PDB file of all heavy atoms in Angstrom:
ATOM      1  N   ALA A1166      -5.062 -15.909  15.405  1.00 92.00           N
ATOM      2  CA  ALA A1166      -6.299 -16.532  14.910  1.00 92.00           C
ATOM      3  C   ALA A1166      -7.545 -15.937  15.536  1.00 92.00           C
ATOM      4  O   ALA A1166      -8.659 -16.348  15.190  1.00 92.00           O
ATOM      5  CB  ALA A1166      -6.244 -18.040  15.184  1.00 92.00           C
ATOM      6  N   ASP A1167      -7.375 -14.988  16.442  1.00 94.00           N
ATOM      7  CA  ASP A1167      -8.516 -14.402  17.144  1.00 94.00           C
ATOM      8  C   ASP A1167      -9.491 -13.755  16.151  1.00 94.00           C
ATOM      9  O   ASP A1167      -9.086 -12.975  15.279  1.00 94.00           O
ATOM     10  CB  ASP A1167      -8.015 -13.354  18.143  1.00 94.00           C
ATOM     11  CG  ASP A1167      -9.129 -12.751  18.955  1.00 94.00           C
ATOM     12  OD1 ASP A1167      -9.558 -13.378  19.925  1.00 94.00           O
ATOM     13  OD2 ASP A1167      -9.576 -11.639  18.582  1.00 94.00           O
ATOM     14  N   LEU A1168     -10.764 -14.067  16.294  1.00 95.00           N
ATOM     15  CA  LEU A1168     -11.758 -13.572  15.341  1.00 95.00           C
ATOM     16  C   LEU A1168     -11.900 -12.057  15.386  1.00 95.00           C
ATOM     17  O   LEU A1168     -12.142 -11.413  14.360  1.00 95.00           O
ATOM     18  CB  LEU A1168     -13.115 -14.229  15.596  1.00 95.00           C
ATOM     19  CG  LEU A1168     -13.241 -15.704  15.202  1.00 95.00           C
ATOM     20  CD1 LEU A1168     -14.648 -16.208  15.471  1.00 95.00           C
ATOM     21  CD2 LEU A1168     -12.887 -15.904  13.728  1.00 95.00           C
ATOM     22  N   ASP A1169     -11.753 -11.463  16.552  1.00 96.00           N
ATOM     23  CA  ASP A1169     -11.848 -10.012  16.646  1.00 96.00           C
ATOM     24  C   ASP A1169     -10.706  -9.346  15.887  1.00 96.00           C
ATOM     25  O   ASP A1169     -10.913  -8.357  15.174  1.00 96.00           O
ATOM     26  CB  ASP A1169     -11.845  -9.571  18.107  1.00 96.00           C
ATOM     27  CG  ASP A1169     -11.971  -8.060  18.244  1.00 96.00           C
ATOM     28  OD1 ASP A1169     -13.020  -7.522  17.843  1.00 96.00           O
ATOM     29  OD2 ASP A1169     -11.021  -7.427  18.727  1.00 96.00           O
ATOM     30  N   VAL A1170      -9.498  -9.898  16.027  1.00 96.00           N
ATOM     31  CA  VAL A1170      -8.349  -9.356  15.299  1.00 96.00           C
ATOM     32  C   VAL A1170      -8.571  -9.488  13.800  1.00 96.00           C
ATOM     33  O   VAL A1170      -8.360  -8.544  13.029  1.00 96.00           O
ATOM     34  CB  VAL A1170      -7.048 -10.077  15.714  1.00 96.00           C
ATOM     35  CG1 VAL A1170      -5.898  -9.711  14.777  1.00 96.00           C
ATOM     36  CG2 VAL A1170      -6.686  -9.730  17.154  1.00 96.00           C
ATOM     37  N   ARG A1171      -9.022 -10.645  13.377  1.00 96.00           N
ATOM     38  CA  ARG A1171      -9.218 -10.863  11.940  1.00 96.00           C
ATOM     39  C   ARG A1171     -10.339  -9.974  11.400  1.00 96.00           C
ATOM     40  O   ARG A1171     -10.264  -9.481  10.263  1.00 96.00           O
ATOM     41  CB  ARG A1171      -9.489 -12.340  11.668  1.00 96.00           C
ATOM     42  CG  ARG A1171      -8.343 -13.240  12.087  1.00 96.00           C
ATOM     43  CD  ARG A1171      -8.576 -14.673  11.674  1.00 96.00           C
ATOM     44  NE  ARG A1171      -8.211 -14.877  10.281  1.00 96.00           N
ATOM     45  CZ  ARG A1171      -7.007 -15.269   9.872  1.00 96.00           C
ATOM     46  NH1 ARG A1171      -6.045 -15.458  10.759  1.00 96.00           N
ATOM     47  NH2 ARG A1171      -6.750 -15.454   8.592  1.00 96.00           N
ATOM     48  N   SER A1172     -11.370  -9.742  12.203  1.00 96.00           N
ATOM     49  CA  SER A1172     -12.442  -8.836  11.773  1.00 96.00           C
ATOM     50  C   SER A1172     -11.913  -7.419  11.605  1.00 96.00           C
ATOM     51  O   SER A1172     -12.290  -6.707  10.662  1.00 96.00           O
ATOM     52  CB  SER A1172     -13.585  -8.838  12.791  1.00 96.00           C
ATOM     53  OG  SER A1172     -14.270 -10.065  12.791  1.00 96.00           O
ATOM     54  N   ARG A1173     -11.045  -7.008  12.517  1.00 96.00           N
ATOM     55  CA  ARG A1173     -10.472  -5.669  12.411  1.00 96.00           C
ATOM     56  C   ARG A1173      -9.591  -5.541  11.164  1.00 96.00           C
ATOM     57  O   ARG A1173      -9.554  -4.486  10.516  1.00 96.00           O
ATOM     58  CB  ARG A1173      -9.678  -5.336  13.674  1.00 96.00           C
ATOM     59  CG  ARG A1173     -10.563  -5.146  14.899  1.00 96.00           C
ATOM     60  CD  ARG A1173      -9.760  -4.858  16.152  1.00 96.00           C
ATOM     61  NE  ARG A1173     -10.622  -4.755  17.312  1.00 96.00           N
ATOM     62  CZ  ARG A1173     -11.268  -3.658  17.691  1.00 96.00           C
ATOM     63  NH1 ARG A1173     -11.114  -2.546  16.975  1.00 96.00           N
ATOM     64  NH2 ARG A1173     -12.032  -3.664  18.753  1.00 96.00           N
ATOM     65  N   VAL A1174      -8.890  -6.609  10.834  1.00 97.00           N
ATOM     66  CA  VAL A1174      -8.066  -6.606   9.626  1.00 97.00           C
ATOM     67  C   VAL A1174      -8.940  -6.492   8.380  1.00 97.00           C
ATOM     68  O   VAL A1174      -8.666  -5.704   7.475  1.00 97.00           O
ATOM     69  CB  VAL A1174      -7.184  -7.867   9.566  1.00 97.00           C
ATOM     70  CG1 VAL A1174      -6.548  -8.030   8.184  1.00 97.00           C
ATOM     71  CG2 VAL A1174      -6.103  -7.810  10.638  1.00 97.00           C
ATOM     72  N   ILE A1175     -10.010  -7.270   8.331  1.00 97.00           N
ATOM     73  CA  ILE A1175     -10.932  -7.206   7.199  1.00 97.00           C
ATOM     74  C   ILE A1175     -11.562  -5.819   7.120  1.00 97.00           C
ATOM     75  O   ILE A1175     -11.682  -5.224   6.040  1.00 97.00           O
ATOM     76  CB  ILE A1175     -12.030  -8.277   7.317  1.00 97.00           C
ATOM     77  CG1 ILE A1175     -11.422  -9.681   7.326  1.00 97.00           C
ATOM     78  CG2 ILE A1175     -13.047  -8.140   6.187  1.00 97.00           C
ATOM     79  CD1 ILE A1175     -10.698 -10.059   6.081  1.00 97.00           C
ATOM     80  N   GLY A1176     -11.963  -5.280   8.267  1.00 96.00           N
ATOM     81  CA  GLY A1176     -12.549  -3.946   8.293  1.00 96.00           C
ATOM     82  C   GLY A1176     -11.563  -2.880   7.855  1.00 96.00           C
ATOM     83  O   GLY A1176     -11.946  -1.889   7.227  1.00 96.00           O
ATOM     84  N   ALA A1177     -10.287  -3.069   8.184  1.00 97.00           N
ATOM     85  CA  ALA A1177      -9.269  -2.104   7.769  1.00 97.00           C
ATOM     86  C   ALA A1177      -9.083  -2.116   6.256  1.00 97.00           C
ATOM     87  O   ALA A1177      -8.926  -1.066   5.625  1.00 97.00           O
ATOM     88  CB  ALA A1177      -7.944  -2.415   8.455  1.00 97.00           C
ATOM     89  N   ARG A1178      -9.143  -3.304   5.663  1.00 96.00           N
ATOM     90  CA  ARG A1178      -8.868  -3.426   4.231  1.00 96.00           C
ATOM     91  C   ARG A1178     -10.136  -3.370   3.378  1.00 96.00           C
ATOM     92  O   ARG A1178     -10.058  -3.309   2.152  1.00 96.00           O
ATOM     93  CB  ARG A1178      -8.099  -4.716   3.955  1.00 96.00           C
ATOM     94  CG  ARG A1178      -6.770  -4.798   4.714  1.00 96.00           C
ATOM     95  CD  ARG A1178      -5.841  -5.822   4.134  1.00 96.00           C
ATOM     96  NE  ARG A1178      -5.376  -5.432   2.800  1.00 96.00           N
ATOM     97  CZ  ARG A1178      -4.555  -6.166   2.050  1.00 96.00           C
ATOM     98  NH1 ARG A1178      -4.126  -7.328   2.503  1.00 96.00           N
ATOM     99  NH2 ARG A1178      -4.180  -5.755   0.861  1.00 96.00           N
ATOM    100  N   ASP A1179     -11.301  -3.450   4.010  1.00 97.00           N
ATOM    101  CA  ASP A1179     -12.600  -3.413   3.329  1.00 97.00           C
ATOM    102  C   ASP A1179     -12.853  -4.642   2.468  1.00 97.00           C
ATOM    103  O   ASP A1179     -13.906  -4.742   1.841  1.00 97.00           O
ATOM    104  CB  ASP A1179     -12.749  -2.163   2.447  1.00 97.00           C
ATOM    105  CG  ASP A1179     -12.907  -0.897   3.271  1.00 97.00           C
ATOM    106  OD1 ASP A1179     -13.703  -0.912   4.218  1.00 97.00           O
ATOM    107  OD2 ASP A1179     -12.228   0.096   2.961  1.00 97.00           O
ATOM    108  N   LEU A1180     -11.913  -5.563   2.453  1.00 95.00           N
ATOM    109  CA  LEU A1180     -12.021  -6.746   1.593  1.00 95.00           C
ATOM    110  C   LEU A1180     -11.245  -7.901   2.207  1.00 95.00           C
ATOM    111  O   LEU A1180     -10.282  -7.689   2.946  1.00 95.00           O
ATOM    112  CB  LEU A1180     -11.449  -6.450   0.194  1.00 95.00           C
ATOM    113  CG  LEU A1180     -12.235  -5.467  -0.673  1.00 95.00           C
ATOM    114  CD1 LEU A1180     -11.361  -4.985  -1.825  1.00 95.00           C
ATOM    115  CD2 LEU A1180     -13.514  -6.104  -1.196  1.00 95.00           C
ATOM    116  N   PRO A1181     -11.621  -9.137   1.880  1.00 95.00           N
ATOM    117  CA  PRO A1181     -10.870 -10.307   2.356  1.00 95.00           C
ATOM    118  C   PRO A1181      -9.748 -10.627   1.380  1.00 95.00           C
ATOM    119  O   PRO A1181      -9.905 -11.438   0.474  1.00 95.00           O
ATOM    120  CB  PRO A1181     -11.936 -11.409   2.370  1.00 95.00           C
ATOM    121  CG  PRO A1181     -12.872 -11.035   1.254  1.00 95.00           C
ATOM    122  CD  PRO A1181     -12.853  -9.528   1.167  1.00 95.00           C
ATOM    123  N   MET A1182      -8.595 -10.001   1.562  1.00 87.00           N
ATOM    124  CA  MET A1182      -7.536 -10.084   0.560  1.00 87.00           C
ATOM    125  C   MET A1182      -6.749 -11.385   0.597  1.00 87.00           C
ATOM    126  O   MET A1182      -5.922 -11.637  -0.269  1.00 87.00           O
ATOM    127  CB  MET A1182      -6.583  -8.900   0.713  1.00 87.00           C
ATOM    128  CG  MET A1182      -7.245  -7.562   0.423  1.00 87.00           C
ATOM    129  SD  MET A1182      -8.010  -7.430  -1.203  1.00 87.00           S
ATOM    130  CE  MET A1182      -6.586  -7.532  -2.274  1.00 87.00           C
ATOM    131  N   GLY A1183      -6.941 -12.215   1.620  1.00 76.00           N
ATOM    132  CA  GLY A1183      -6.408 -13.570   1.575  1.00 76.00           C
ATOM    133  C   GLY A1183      -4.972 -13.753   2.016  1.00 76.00           C
ATOM    134  O   GLY A1183      -4.353 -14.762   1.684  1.00 76.00           O
ATOM    135  N   LEU A1184      -4.404 -12.804   2.779  1.00 85.00           N
ATOM    136  CA  LEU A1184      -3.025 -12.970   3.238  1.00 85.00           C
ATOM    137  C   LEU A1184      -2.936 -13.484   4.665  1.00 85.00           C
ATOM    138  O   LEU A1184      -1.853 -13.554   5.242  1.00 85.00           O
ATOM    139  CB  LEU A1184      -2.263 -11.653   3.092  1.00 85.00           C
ATOM    140  CG  LEU A1184      -2.032 -11.210   1.643  1.00 85.00           C
ATOM    141  CD1 LEU A1184      -1.230  -9.918   1.601  1.00 85.00           C
ATOM    142  CD2 LEU A1184      -1.334 -12.282   0.834  1.00 85.00           C
ATOM    143  N   GLY A1185      -4.073 -13.827   5.251  1.00 88.00           N
ATOM    144  CA  GLY A1185      -4.090 -14.595   6.494  1.00 88.00           C
ATOM    145  C   GLY A1185      -3.285 -14.021   7.623  1.00 88.00           C
ATOM    146  O   GLY A1185      -3.401 -12.843   7.980  1.00 88.00           O
ATOM    147  N   ASP A1186      -2.423 -14.863   8.213  1.00 91.00           N
ATOM    148  CA  ASP A1186      -1.683 -14.434   9.401  1.00 91.00           C
ATOM    149  C   ASP A1186      -0.658 -13.359   9.076  1.00 91.00           C
ATOM    150  O   ASP A1186      -0.226 -12.620   9.964  1.00 91.00           O
ATOM    151  CB  ASP A1186      -1.020 -15.631  10.084  1.00 91.00           C
ATOM    152  CG  ASP A1186       0.190 -16.155   9.330  1.00 91.00           C
ATOM    153  OD1 ASP A1186       0.041 -16.447   8.134  1.00 91.00           O
ATOM    154  OD2 ASP A1186       1.269 -16.281   9.944  1.00 91.00           O
ATOM    155  N   MET A1187      -0.261 -13.213   7.804  1.00 92.00           N
ATOM    156  CA  MET A1187       0.660 -12.131   7.464  1.00 92.00           C
ATOM    157  C   MET A1187      -0.015 -10.775   7.624  1.00 92.00           C
ATOM    158  O   MET A1187       0.625  -9.800   8.026  1.00 92.00           O
ATOM    159  CB  MET A1187       1.197 -12.316   6.041  1.00 92.00           C
ATOM    160  CG  MET A1187       2.145 -13.492   5.910  1.00 92.00           C
ATOM    161  SD  MET A1187       3.019 -13.534   4.327  1.00 92.00           S
ATOM    162  CE  MET A1187       1.665 -13.954   3.224  1.00 92.00           C
ATOM    163  N   ASP A1188      -1.303 -10.693   7.317  1.00 94.00           N
ATOM    164  CA  ASP A1188      -2.053  -9.463   7.571  1.00 94.00           C
ATOM    165  C   ASP A1188      -2.282  -9.255   9.061  1.00 94.00           C
ATOM    166  O   ASP A1188      -2.114  -8.153   9.581  1.00 94.00           O
ATOM    167  CB  ASP A1188      -3.404  -9.501   6.855  1.00 94.00           C
ATOM    168  CG  ASP A1188      -3.324  -9.008   5.415  1.00 94.00           C
ATOM    169  OD1 ASP A1188      -2.234  -8.592   4.991  1.00 94.00           O
ATOM    170  OD2 ASP A1188      -4.345  -9.049   4.721  1.00 94.00           O
ATOM    171  N   ALA A1189      -2.666 -10.326   9.743  1.00 94.00           N
ATOM    172  CA  ALA A1189      -2.953 -10.216  11.178  1.00 94.00           C
ATOM    173  C   ALA A1189      -1.710  -9.796  11.959  1.00 94.00           C
ATOM    174  O   ALA A1189      -1.769  -8.937  12.841  1.00 94.00           O
ATOM    175  CB  ALA A1189      -3.502 -11.540  11.705  1.00 94.00           C
ATOM    176  N   SER A1190      -0.576 -10.404  11.633  1.00 94.00           N
ATOM    177  CA  SER A1190       0.648 -10.075  12.378  1.00 94.00           C
ATOM    178  C   SER A1190       1.106  -8.656  12.078  1.00 94.00           C
ATOM    179  O   SER A1190       1.605  -7.953  12.969  1.00 94.00           O
ATOM    180  CB  SER A1190       1.762 -11.080  12.053  1.00 94.00           C
ATOM    181  OG  SER A1190       2.141 -11.009  10.696  1.00 94.00           O
ATOM    182  N   LEU A1191       0.941  -8.196  10.828  1.00 96.00           N
ATOM    183  CA  LEU A1191       1.328  -6.827  10.510  1.00 96.00           C
ATOM    184  C   LEU A1191       0.434  -5.828  11.239  1.00 96.00           C
ATOM    185  O   LEU A1191       0.917  -4.815  11.774  1.00 96.00           O
ATOM    186  CB  LEU A1191       1.260  -6.606   8.998  1.00 96.00           C
ATOM    187  CG  LEU A1191       1.878  -5.310   8.476  1.00 96.00           C
ATOM    188  CD1 LEU A1191       3.377  -5.252   8.777  1.00 96.00           C
ATOM    189  CD2 LEU A1191       1.636  -5.156   6.976  1.00 96.00           C
ATOM    190  N   TYR A1192      -0.852  -6.103  11.278  1.00 96.00           N
ATOM    191  CA  TYR A1192      -1.776  -5.244  12.016  1.00 96.00           C
ATOM    192  C   TYR A1192      -1.383  -5.177  13.499  1.00 96.00           C
ATOM    193  O   TYR A1192      -1.333  -4.089  14.094  1.00 96.00           O
ATOM    194  CB  TYR A1192      -3.200  -5.778  11.868  1.00 96.00           C
ATOM    195  CG  TYR A1192      -4.206  -5.150  12.804  1.00 96.00           C
ATOM    196  CD1 TYR A1192      -4.771  -3.917  12.522  1.00 96.00           C
ATOM    197  CD2 TYR A1192      -4.578  -5.794  13.983  1.00 96.00           C
ATOM    198  CE1 TYR A1192      -5.693  -3.332  13.387  1.00 96.00           C
ATOM    199  CE2 TYR A1192      -5.499  -5.214  14.852  1.00 96.00           C
ATOM    200  CZ  TYR A1192      -6.046  -3.984  14.547  1.00 96.00           C
ATOM    201  OH  TYR A1192      -6.948  -3.419  15.423  1.00 96.00           O
ATOM    202  N   LEU A1193      -1.089  -6.327  14.090  1.00 96.00           N
ATOM    203  CA  LEU A1193      -0.738  -6.366  15.515  1.00 96.00           C
ATOM    204  C   LEU A1193       0.610  -5.700  15.777  1.00 96.00           C
ATOM    205  O   LEU A1193       0.804  -5.067  16.819  1.00 96.00           O
ATOM    206  CB  LEU A1193      -0.733  -7.811  16.008  1.00 96.00           C
ATOM    207  CG  LEU A1193      -2.118  -8.464  16.067  1.00 96.00           C
ATOM    208  CD1 LEU A1193      -1.997  -9.974  16.247  1.00 96.00           C
ATOM    209  CD2 LEU A1193      -2.966  -7.862  17.187  1.00 96.00           C
ATOM    210  N   LEU A1194       1.543  -5.834  14.837  1.00 96.00           N
ATOM    211  CA  LEU A1194       2.810  -5.117  14.965  1.00 96.00           C
ATOM    212  C   LEU A1194       2.558  -3.608  14.969  1.00 96.00           C
ATOM    213  O   LEU A1194       3.059  -2.886  15.839  1.00 96.00           O
ATOM    214  CB  LEU A1194       3.739  -5.498  13.814  1.00 96.00           C
ATOM    215  CG  LEU A1194       5.014  -4.652  13.671  1.00 96.00           C
ATOM    216  CD1 LEU A1194       5.922  -4.815  14.886  1.00 96.00           C
ATOM    217  CD2 LEU A1194       5.760  -5.006  12.379  1.00 96.00           C
ATOM    218  N   PHE A1195       1.779  -3.135  14.003  1.00 97.00           N
ATOM    219  CA  PHE A1195       1.483  -1.706  13.929  1.00 97.00           C
ATOM    220  C   PHE A1195       0.774  -1.229  15.197  1.00 97.00           C
ATOM    221  O   PHE A1195       1.042  -0.134  15.703  1.00 97.00           O
ATOM    222  CB  PHE A1195       0.621  -1.411  12.709  1.00 97.00           C
ATOM    223  CG  PHE A1195       1.332  -1.545  11.387  1.00 97.00           C
ATOM    224  CD1 PHE A1195       0.618  -1.826  10.229  1.00 97.00           C
ATOM    225  CD2 PHE A1195       2.704  -1.374  11.294  1.00 97.00           C
ATOM    226  CE1 PHE A1195       1.261  -1.926   9.002  1.00 97.00           C
ATOM    227  CE2 PHE A1195       3.363  -1.483  10.071  1.00 97.00           C
ATOM    228  CZ  PHE A1195       2.630  -1.761   8.926  1.00 97.00           C
ATOM    229  N   LYS A1196      -0.141  -2.032  15.690  1.00 97.00           N
ATOM    230  CA  LYS A1196      -0.887  -1.668  16.897  1.00 97.00           C
ATOM    231  C   LYS A1196       0.056  -1.507  18.090  1.00 97.00           C
ATOM    232  O   LYS A1196      -0.070  -0.558  18.881  1.00 97.00           O
ATOM    233  CB  LYS A1196      -1.944  -2.727  17.186  1.00 97.00           C
ATOM    234  CG  LYS A1196      -2.911  -2.417  18.322  1.00 97.00           C
ATOM    235  CD  LYS A1196      -4.024  -3.458  18.349  1.00 97.00           C
ATOM    236  CE  LYS A1196      -5.057  -3.140  19.428  1.00 97.00           C
ATOM    237  NZ  LYS A1196      -4.539  -3.409  20.775  1.00 97.00           N
ATOM    238  N   ALA A1197       1.014  -2.417  18.202  1.00 97.00           N
ATOM    239  CA  ALA A1197       1.968  -2.336  19.309  1.00 97.00           C
ATOM    240  C   ALA A1197       2.919  -1.145  19.135  1.00 97.00           C
ATOM    241  O   ALA A1197       3.235  -0.442  20.102  1.00 97.00           O
ATOM    242  CB  ALA A1197       2.760  -3.639  19.406  1.00 97.00           C
ATOM    243  N   VAL A1198       3.355  -0.900  17.901  1.00 97.00           N
ATOM    244  CA  VAL A1198       4.255   0.221  17.640  1.00 97.00           C
ATOM    245  C   VAL A1198       3.570   1.549  17.962  1.00 97.00           C
ATOM    246  O   VAL A1198       4.194   2.473  18.493  1.00 97.00           O
ATOM    247  CB  VAL A1198       4.721   0.184  16.171  1.00 97.00           C
ATOM    248  CG1 VAL A1198       5.443   1.478  15.793  1.00 97.00           C
ATOM    249  CG2 VAL A1198       5.633  -1.016  15.935  1.00 97.00           C
ATOM    250  N   ARG A1199       2.274   1.623  17.663  1.00 96.00           N
ATOM    251  CA  ARG A1199       1.534   2.874  17.879  1.00 96.00           C
ATOM    252  C   ARG A1199       1.505   3.284  19.351  1.00 96.00           C
ATOM    253  O   ARG A1199       1.315   4.475  19.672  1.00 96.00           O
ATOM    254  CB  ARG A1199       0.101   2.728  17.345  1.00 96.00           C
ATOM    255  CG  ARG A1199      -0.733   4.007  17.434  1.00 96.00           C
ATOM    256  CD  ARG A1199      -0.132   5.126  16.597  1.00 96.00           C
ATOM    257  NE  ARG A1199      -0.942   6.333  16.612  1.00 96.00           N
ATOM    258  CZ  ARG A1199      -0.831   7.308  17.490  1.00 96.00           C
ATOM    259  NH1 ARG A1199       0.075   7.217  18.467  1.00 96.00           N
ATOM    260  NH2 ARG A1199      -1.607   8.371  17.426  1.00 96.00           N
ATOM    261  N   GLU A1200       1.723   2.358  20.247  1.00 95.00           N
ATOM    262  CA  GLU A1200       1.772   2.702  21.667  1.00 95.00           C
ATOM    263  C   GLU A1200       3.008   3.529  22.009  1.00 95.00           C
ATOM    264  O   GLU A1200       3.077   4.162  23.057  1.00 95.00           O
ATOM    265  CB  GLU A1200       1.743   1.434  22.514  1.00 95.00           C
ATOM    266  CG  GLU A1200       0.446   0.637  22.367  1.00 95.00           C
ATOM    267  CD  GLU A1200       0.484  -0.671  23.166  1.00 95.00           C
ATOM    268  OE1 GLU A1200       1.488  -0.890  23.882  1.00 95.00           O
ATOM    269  OE2 GLU A1200      -0.475  -1.453  23.056  1.00 95.00           O
ATOM    270  N   HIS A1201       3.994   3.521  21.102  1.00 96.00           N
ATOM    271  CA  HIS A1201       5.254   4.226  21.346  1.00 96.00           C
ATOM    272  C   HIS A1201       5.517   5.351  20.354  1.00 96.00           C
ATOM    273  O   HIS A1201       6.199   6.325  20.694  1.00 96.00           O
ATOM    274  CB  HIS A1201       6.433   3.241  21.278  1.00 96.00           C
ATOM    275  CG  HIS A1201       6.280   2.052  22.168  1.00 96.00           C
ATOM    276  ND1 HIS A1201       6.683   2.049  23.491  1.00 96.00           N
ATOM    277  CD2 HIS A1201       5.750   0.820  21.938  1.00 96.00           C
ATOM    278  CE1 HIS A1201       6.419   0.862  24.031  1.00 96.00           C
ATOM    279  NE2 HIS A1201       5.854   0.101  23.108  1.00 96.00           N
ATOM    280  N   SER A1202       5.042   5.184  19.108  1.00 95.00           N
ATOM    281  CA  SER A1202       5.364   6.130  18.041  1.00 95.00           C
ATOM    282  C   SER A1202       4.125   6.459  17.218  1.00 95.00           C
ATOM    283  O   SER A1202       3.181   5.660  17.153  1.00 95.00           O
ATOM    284  CB  SER A1202       6.445   5.553  17.118  1.00 95.00           C
ATOM    285  OG  SER A1202       7.685   5.441  17.786  1.00 95.00           O
ATOM    286  N   THR A1203       4.181   7.605  16.578  1.00 94.00           N
ATOM    287  CA  THR A1203       3.113   8.014  15.661  1.00 94.00           C
ATOM    288  C   THR A1203       3.525   7.805  14.214  1.00 94.00           C
ATOM    289  O   THR A1203       2.678   7.638  13.336  1.00 94.00           O
ATOM    290  CB  THR A1203       2.755   9.491  15.882  1.00 94.00           C
ATOM    291  OG1 THR A1203       2.465   9.694  17.278  1.00 94.00           O
ATOM    292  CG2 THR A1203       1.544   9.911  15.067  1.00 94.00           C
ATOM    293  N   VAL A1204       4.838   7.819  13.956  1.00 95.00           N
ATOM    294  CA  VAL A1204       5.380   7.673  12.609  1.00 95.00           C
ATOM    295  C   VAL A1204       6.413   6.551  12.608  1.00 95.00           C
ATOM    296  O   VAL A1204       7.217   6.437  13.535  1.00 95.00           O
ATOM    297  CB  VAL A1204       6.039   8.986  12.136  1.00 95.00           C
ATOM    298  CG1 VAL A1204       6.729   8.800  10.784  1.00 95.00           C
ATOM    299  CG2 VAL A1204       5.010  10.104  12.061  1.00 95.00           C
TER     300      VAL A1204
END
Side-chain angles (χ1 to χ4, degrees):
D1167 183 81
L1168 288 182
D1169 181 64
V1170 169
R1171 299 186 82 92
S1172 291
R1173 291 178 183 275
V1174 168
I1175 299 297
R1178 302 198 67 181
D1179 289 314
L1180 291 164
M1182 295 304 294
L1184 293 182
D1186 74 306
M1187 290 191 290
D1188 274 357
S1190 64
L1191 191 62
Y1192 168 81
L1193 291 167
L1194 170 64
F1195 289 155
K1196 187 171 183 287
V1198 169
R1199 184 62 177 89
E1200 296 177 4
H1201 307 273
S1202 292
T1203 307
V1204 174

